[in-house]
Amino acid sequence: MGSNQTWITEVILLGFQVDPKLDVFLFGFFLLSYSLTLVENGLILGLIWLDSRLHTPMYFFLSNLAIIDMSFASSIVPKMLANLIMQMKTISFAPCVLQTFLYLALAATECMSLIVMSYDRYVAICHPLHYAVIMSWRVCTILAATCWTFSFLLALVHITLVLRLPFCGPQKNNHFLCQILSVLKLACADTRLNQIVLFVASVFVLVRPLCLVLVSYWRILFAILRIQSGEGRRKAFSNCSSHLCVVGLFFGSAIVMYMALKSSYSQEQRKILSLFYSLFNPMLNPLIYSLRNTEVMGALRRFLGKKSSL
């Protein structure tokens, strides 16, 4: 760094550049979405914890996903809501870096968790006789812990590479959060190494796992078609289609955001993708799983029945 360069101490988040009159509407809409995210995922967690019939590997991973979704939304939305009603839309540099770290870590954790969930469904449908042995509680715990550990270490690599850069301006970040691609634009140095590492990580965390998920579901499809019982086939299709919906929403938006050419999408379109990825996805996940899952709906009915009988 040269002597005339200074390290920025805060970042201005430009957010959604719309008519200021719309800020109140956006605040209410995002607050409602965030509240639904917490309530829905909290309800999923509560039902799985209270109902012994849901104490299976599948619902263990679903509860893990609910924790990730609540953490993901909570790392972004509160600051976004505060900026919508404040005149000065700023964030200190250290919290900005922390938000970038959490965003990367939790996104990678969700990606890894979705892969593990697809593996769980593959074993349950293609190897039902060995399912209890393969997906023991010890294995499930190790898989979940590995998802969290690997993802946070990967995010730490990205943040280490970010912090080696000099940040001397501009202060304005044309985003509603400190997303890594927008943070790199604040650096007054060559960021090609960061972008290469990010692209390689995206291939490793997004493209390759997605291919594995698609291959496993192709094999699951053939296994489902061989099931003699019509009820068993419907149950298997219901569980797998719910998971495929979540996988499609998550991986689709992530691949477009991190791997599409810069010229393909405007900054405003990328903001919408980030919003969908970090707020609407966590809100939709429990709806997709609960509405299409008879066991979850049954647990909810039993819970409400106990409440009404008290």
Side-chain angles (χ1 to χ4, degrees):
M1 293 176 63
S3 58
N4 62 337
Q5 292 178 329
T6 57
W7 195 284
I8 59 175
T9 57
E10 62 180 18
V11 176
I12 301 171
L13 297 172
L14 297 180
F16 298 97
Q17 299 178 45
V18 296
D19 191 321
K21 296 178 182 178
L22 288 176
D23 284 347
V24 176
F25 169 76
L26 291 177
F27 176 85
F29 179 68
F30 293 151
L31 178 61
L32 177 62
S33 301
Y34 179 55
S35 301
L36 287 174
T37 299
L38 297 182
V39 170
E40 291 166 3
N41 284 286
L43 182 61
I44 290 285
L45 274 175
L47 289 174
I48 292 172
W49 184 67
L50 291 171
D51 198 314
S52 59
R53 301 183 196 184
L54 302 183
H55 292 176
T56 64
M58 174 181 170
Y59 293 104
F60 169 76
F61 292 123
L62 183 56
S63 63
N64 185 54
L65 182 66
I67 292 172
I68 295 168
D69 283 339
M70 287 193 292
S71 303
F72 201 8
S74 297
S75 68
I76 295 161
V77 179
K79 183 60 181 174
M80 181 178 70
L81 292 175
N83 284 345
L84 282 171
I85 58 175
M86 292 172 63
Q87 294 296 321
M88 290 299 293
K89 306 177 187 297
T90 60
I91 182 172
S92 298
F93 187 75
C96 181
V97 172
L98 177 61
Q99 189 181 66
T100 304
F101 171 75
L102 291 175
Y103 184 85
L104 289 169
L106 292 168
T109 306
E110 180 154 351
C111 177
M112 295 293 102
S113 297
L114 290 174
I115 296 166
V116 170
M117 291 172 74
S118 69
Y119 175 70
D120 172 69
R121 290 300 83 207
Y122 167 76
V123 175
I125 294 172
C126 297
H127 304 283
L129 298 179
H130 301 97
Y131 179 69
V133 176
I134 297 173
M135 299 303 294
S136 65
W137 284 112
R138 180 174 177 273
V139 170
C140 292
T141 304
I142 290 173
L143 287 172
T146 301
C147 290
W148 285 87
T149 304
F150 169 79
S151 302
F152 273 73
L153 288 175
L154 180 62
L156 187 61
V157 170
H158 288 301
I159 292 301
T160 302
L161 291 174
V162 167
L163 291 177
R164 73 179 182 85
L165 298 169
F167 287 88
C168 49
Q171 274 185 292
K172 294 181 179 179
N173 178 4
N174 188 16
H175 216 297
F176 61 86
L177 63 97
C178 291
Q179 198 249 9
I180 188 167
L181 294 174
S182 61
V183 169
L184 290 176
K185 293 178 182 179
L186 306 178
C188 47
D190 189 357
T191 61
R192 276 179 295 183
L193 175 62
N194 300 74
Q195 293 174 6
I196 290 171
V197 172
L198 185 63
F199 183 82
V200 172
S202 298
V203 172
F204 182 75
V205 175
L206 294 173
V207 178
R208 190 174 171 219
L210 180 59
C211 293
L212 292 174
V213 170
L214 293 177
V215 169
S216 67
Y217 269 98
W218 183 253
R219 297 186 66 178
I220 286 171
L221 177 61
F222 282 102
I224 290 175
L225 293 176
R226 290 197 297 268
I227 296 175
Q228 299 298 321
S229 165
E231 180 63 27
R233 195 181 298 119
R234 280 193 297 273
K235 183 178 178 181
F237 264 123
S238 176
N239 288 338
C240 292
S241 60
S242 298
H243 185 66
L244 273 177
C245 286
V246 173
V247 166
L249 289 172
F250 181 85
F251 280 90
S253 56
I255 288 173
V256 169
M257 188 162 53
Y258 286 107
M259 303 193 69
L261 296 174
K262 290 183 179 180
S263 58
S264 300
Y265 297 91
S266 69
Q267 184 61 25
E268 295 304 314
Q269 289 173 319
R270 288 182 180 273
K271 288 179 191 178
I272 294 172
L273 277 173
S274 296
L275 187 64
F276 183 84
Y277 188 63
S278 56
L279 178 59
F280 298 139
N281 224 19
M283 182 182 69
L284 291 173
N285 284 351
L287 287 177
I288 293 172
Y289 277 112
S290 61
L291 291 177
R292 297 184 61 85
N293 192 304
T294 55
E295 291 177 333
V296 173
M297 295 304 293
L300 180 59
R301 282 192 292 269
R302 286 191 293 273
F303 174 76
L304 294 176
K306 288 179 182 178
K307 284 291 185 182
S308 61
S309 62
L310 293 176

